[in-house]
Amino acid sequence: MAYREQGVPADRARFSIIIPHSFLSSRLSVCVLLPPPPPPHQMLGIPGLKASLLEEFGVRLLTYDLPGFGESDPYPYRNLESSASDMLFLANALGVSDKFWVVGYSTGSVHAWAALRYIPDRLAGAAMFAPMVNPYDSLMNRGERYGIWEKWTRKRKFMYFLARRFPKFLSYFYRQSFLSGKHGQIDQWLALTLGRRDRALIEDPIYEEFWQRDVEESIRQGNAKPFVEEAVLQVSNWGFSLADLKLQKKQRGKGILNLIKFFLSGSEEEYTGFLGPIHIWQGMDDKVVPPSMTDFVHRVLPSAAVHKLPYEGHFTYLYFCDECHRQIFTTLFGTPQGPLPVNNTIEVEQTPLDDIQVQEDASTQDDFKTD
């Protein structure tokens, strides 16, 4: 696994964040800017996330390449459970001893959902931005499904159809677009519909520089298979339902014996689902992950805090917005308290005075005998 570490050192981190990247992206999708601002060719991923902000809140930020993306080795048998295991392995290997936050953006949210399902005890909470779910989820009602699919282009719908029914044909389309070696805009390569503000952003030369470098890193192995696997993961059976994450009382066994056993044991009520906070930010002009998708998530997970963003699209809230980043961190972490203080205490093993006296007496006797 290739990873990238930014922010405060591990021993001073008040909060740790792990971010799985989205489709056609890499560990470079989140870049922390150091003062003075670097030239565009040295900026990668989400621009505007400043090192000073991470320092102010005491945040350690970890990103990594999914299997077969960037510099990470492929893993052809991966699923969402193994994706959560990868995240857990990364946290343990890099010394994240406390619970950490997982951040999911767009299709990267698929892996964040998996972490909530499979490693909930290691998570402090989740922050989701335009979170993607399976567009074929059987829990969707007709209105939610229509609100999602009617926003998408015919080509995008066709690509989802191929991923679900004939995934081998995806390789051809990928080699004609982002694996062709040619440069193109994200909306053309991924058949996206964009709102006015998103359109203006992706046409900005600075954003294009970010986008192209992140894509180049993502496809550096030149293999279509990991991208096909990722597309299939999004639309196939996840192995769990979002409803499994809902916080609810654990059902006791039926019958009088189970009831008597419960009262005699004196045990407290047990809960299932994810116990920590889930925050979702959704642009109301987002046509890539339409608001109907977040409406569906909120219906299934009513305890999730949804922050609706008027006039914002899929990209505009996260990119080039210092104020937005501060709002997000304040929502998640509260008042900034900086990194943890440096521990300069030196532990010295103390010897009891009685032992010292015995050692001195023995030394004197030895000297006497030598003489």
Side-chain angles (χ1 to χ4, degrees):
M1 288 178 69
Y3 70 92
R4 192 180 196 194
E5 184 174 1
Q6 301 173 94
V8 302
D11 59 346
R12 301 195 63 200
R14 196 174 292 276
F15 305 101
S16 296
I17 297 176
I18 296 183
I19 307 179
H21 62 76
S22 57
F23 190 84
L24 197 56
S25 189
S26 72
R27 71 189 184 285
L28 306 182
S29 60
V30 178
C31 179
V32 175
L33 304 186
L34 300 172
H41 71 277
Q42 293 181 3
M43 298 182 183
L44 303 169
I46 299 176
L49 182 58
K50 294 183 177 179
S52 59
L53 189 65
L54 296 182
E55 179 78 17
E56 185 178 345
F57 282 84
V59 173
R60 182 190 187 198
L61 190 64
L62 302 172
T63 56
Y64 63 99
D65 289 333
L66 296 174
F69 289 67
E71 295 185 17
S72 285
D73 293 334
Y75 181 47
Y77 307 106
R78 67 189 179 107
N79 54 33
L80 289 182
E81 186 173 4
S82 70
S83 178
S85 298
D86 285 346
M87 206 179 301
L88 179 61
F89 175 81
L90 179 71
N92 293 338
L94 298 183
V96 181
S97 55
D98 295 330
K99 291 184 177 184
F100 59 88
W101 285 79
V102 62
V103 172
Y105 169 60
S106 191
T107 55
S109 300
V110 173
H111 303 281
W113 293 127
L116 292 174
R117 172 62 181 87
Y118 294 112
I119 56 171
D121 294 341
R122 290 290 278 119
L123 300 183
M128 305 287 201
F129 301 90
M132 185 72 179
V133 299
N134 188 338
Y136 295 96
D137 196 307
S138 60
L139 294 179
M140 285 184 187
N141 59 41
R142 181 177 299 180
E144 291 163 345
R145 195 182 303 275
Y146 176 79
I148 294 169
W149 286 86
E150 64 98 13
K151 297 287 186 183
W152 291 340
T153 63
R154 289 183 178 180
K155 183 177 179 181
R156 187 176 181 189
K157 295 174 185 177
F158 179 63
M159 298 298 278
Y160 279 135
F161 169 76
L162 289 182
R164 190 169 172 85
R165 299 296 184 185
F166 307 102
K168 291 184 178 180
F169 290 100
L170 288 174
S171 296
Y172 169 80
F173 291 97
Y174 292 164
R175 295 195 180 282
Q176 297 299 311
S177 55
F178 54 83
L179 289 174
S180 66
K182 302 175 183 177
H183 291 286
Q185 289 188 329
I186 184 172
D187 59 320
Q188 297 172 353
W189 280 354
L190 300 182
L192 304 180
T193 306
L194 298 180
R196 180 178 57 84
R197 294 188 64 183
D198 275 340
R199 170 68 57 189
L201 176 64
I202 71 166
E203 292 177 352
D204 187 296
I206 296 179
Y207 173 82
E208 286 192 21
E209 188 77 21
F210 280 120
W211 160 247
Q212 294 297 343
R213 289 185 65 83
D214 190 28
V215 169
E216 288 172 5
E217 182 63 23
S218 178
I219 65 174
R220 68 154 54 218
Q221 299 184 40
N223 186 2
K225 191 172 182 180
F227 295 93
V228 173
E229 294 166 355
E230 187 68 12
V232 170
L233 275 180
Q234 293 176 20
V235 299
S236 59
N237 186 346
W238 286 7
F240 66 93
S241 166
L242 287 181
D244 296 333
L245 307 180
K246 183 178 179 180
L247 183 61
Q248 52 193 338
K249 290 183 180 180
K250 187 176 182 180
Q251 293 184 350
R252 298 191 300 268
K254 297 181 180 180
I256 188 65
L257 290 179
N258 285 303
L259 186 61
I260 294 174
K261 186 186 298 184
F262 172 77
F263 284 115
L264 291 179
S265 65
S267 58
E268 298 180 354
E269 289 279 6
E270 294 184 17
Y271 289 84
T272 60
F274 182 65
L275 301 178
I278 300 175
H279 289 272
I280 300 174
W281 281 265
Q282 176 66 53
M284 300 309 291
D285 195 33
D286 190 338
K287 294 179 173 57
V288 180
V289 178
S292 295
M293 192 164 277
T294 290
D295 291 341
F296 160 68
V297 173
H298 197 213
R299 179 173 64 82
V300 178
L301 301 175
S303 61
V306 177
H307 310 272
K308 295 184 178 181
L309 308 170
Y311 313 113
E312 298 288 356
H314 191 67
F315 305 103
T316 52
Y317 185 71
L318 277 183
Y319 295 175
F320 301 100
C321 185
D322 295 343
E323 180 183 351
C324 303
H325 299 157
R326 179 171 293 278
Q327 289 175 355
I328 293 166
F329 276 31
T330 301
T331 300
L332 300 180
F333 309 131
T335 304
Q337 302 180 54
L340 295 175
V342 178
N343 186 2
N344 291 322
T345 303
I346 301 177
E347 295 185 2
V348 178
E349 184 177 353
Q350 297 182 352
T351 304
L353 292 176
D354 292 344
D355 292 345
I356 295 175
Q357 186 63 44
V358 171
Q359 292 172 7
E360 289 178 349
D361 292 344
S363 177
T364 302
Q365 292 175 8
D366 289 342
D367 290 343
F368 179 78
K369 290 179 181 178
T370 303
D371 293 342

